[in-house]
């Protein structure tokens, strides 16, 4: 089955909000999986410098030819991520997505994932969707979406640079 907006909706994803219209307090606080999708008609234009924050003294900016090499024509999904409960149980989708958006606005991140998103022009038009899942299902779900995407396109989504794996496999 192709991974796109329609199949994600059928699989229980909700939200589907443009980044500029994302109301963080309307995002569930529970653990889950989230995706970044390109809207219909989106054409990638890459910024010379990333808007993302510096991570461990490393600049997230890549050369345009490296970004072009990662881009997959025809793929709606640009990134698949997960939001766990955290060690104190107070993380989840809302906090993870807030940190993801803050990272794109130049704040130092707690993680490096999805950084290529923040080198796209018109990033505010990108769409965020999410699906609540129990914490014990997150790793398998993320790995499953990565595997399904790679099966369809031969590699991971644009901004996923590391394939999710389930522990012990």
């Amino acid at each position: 089955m192709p991974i796109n907006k329609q199949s994600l909706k059928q699989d229980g994803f909700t939200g589907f909000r443009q980044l500029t219209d994302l109301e963080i307090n309307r995002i569930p606080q529970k653990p889950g999986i989230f995706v970044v999708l390109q809207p219909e008609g989106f054409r990638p234009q890459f910024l010379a410098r990333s808007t993302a924050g510096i991570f461990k003294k490393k600049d997230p900016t890549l050369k345009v030819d490296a970004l072009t090499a990662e881009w997959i024509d025809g793929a709606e999904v640009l990134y698949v991520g997960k939001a766990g409960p955290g060690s104190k149980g107070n993380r989840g989708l809302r906090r993870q997505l807030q940190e993801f958006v803050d990272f794109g606005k130049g704040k130092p991140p707690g993680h490096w994932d999805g950084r290529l998103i923040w080198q796209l022009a018109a990033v505010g038009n990108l769409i965020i969707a999410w699906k609540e899942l129990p914490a014990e299902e997150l790793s398998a779900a993320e790995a499953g979406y990565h595997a399904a995407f790679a099966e369809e396109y031969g590699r991971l989504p644009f901004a996923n640079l590391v394939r999710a794996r389930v522990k012990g496999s």
Side-chain angles (χ1 to χ4, degrees):
M1 172 195 291
I3 296 182
N4 56 35
K5 185 176 180 180
Q6 181 181 352
S7 67
L8 291 168
K9 280 184 176 181
Q10 290 171 348
D11 200 31
F13 277 78
T14 60
F16 295 95
R17 303 277 188 269
Q18 281 192 322
L19 247 161
T20 54
D21 298 333
L22 197 61
E23 295 178 50
I24 221 65
N25 289 329
R26 293 181 153 243
I27 297 170
Q29 294 180 7
K30 300 211 177 249
I33 298 287
F34 68 97
V35 293
V36 179
L37 303 113
Q38 61 174 310
E40 196 172 319
F42 187 82
R43 299 284 176 259
Q45 291 183 304
F46 302 113
L47 303 172
R49 301 231 19 103
S50 176
T51 63
I54 302 296
F55 179 72
K56 296 183 179 178
K57 299 182 182 178
K58 292 193 298 189
D59 185 338
T61 301
L62 292 181
K63 293 184 179 188
V64 171
D65 56 342
L67 294 165
T68 302
E70 292 297 330
W71 188 260
I72 303 169
D73 285 327
E76 286 181 50
V77 173
L78 302 179
Y79 179 71
V80 177
K82 68 179 178 183
S87 60
K88 296 178 183 166
N90 63 350
R91 291 197 53 77
L93 287 161
R94 182 181 300 172
R95 189 153 170 206
Q96 185 73 31
L97 285 168
Q98 181 66 66
E99 289 176 2
F100 183 70
V101 170
D102 288 347
F103 178 34
K105 293 178 179 175
K107 292 186 180 177
H111 54 84
W112 196 232
D113 301 336
R115 67 187 178 274
L116 303 189
I117 293 294
W118 307 114
Q119 211 166 328
L120 285 166
V123 73
N125 295 331
L126 297 180
I127 298 165
I128 305 286
W130 55 86
K131 177 181 178 179
E132 291 181 52
L133 287 170
E136 61 274 8
E137 295 178 21
L138 290 176
S139 292
E142 182 186 33
Y145 285 111
H146 282 183
F149 189 94
E151 186 175 310
E152 184 177 354
Y153 293 100
R155 55 194 173 125
L156 292 175
F158 167 70
N160 284 106
L161 302 178
V162 177
R163 189 169 184 155
R165 303 241 185 254
V166 179
K167 287 182 181 171
S169 63

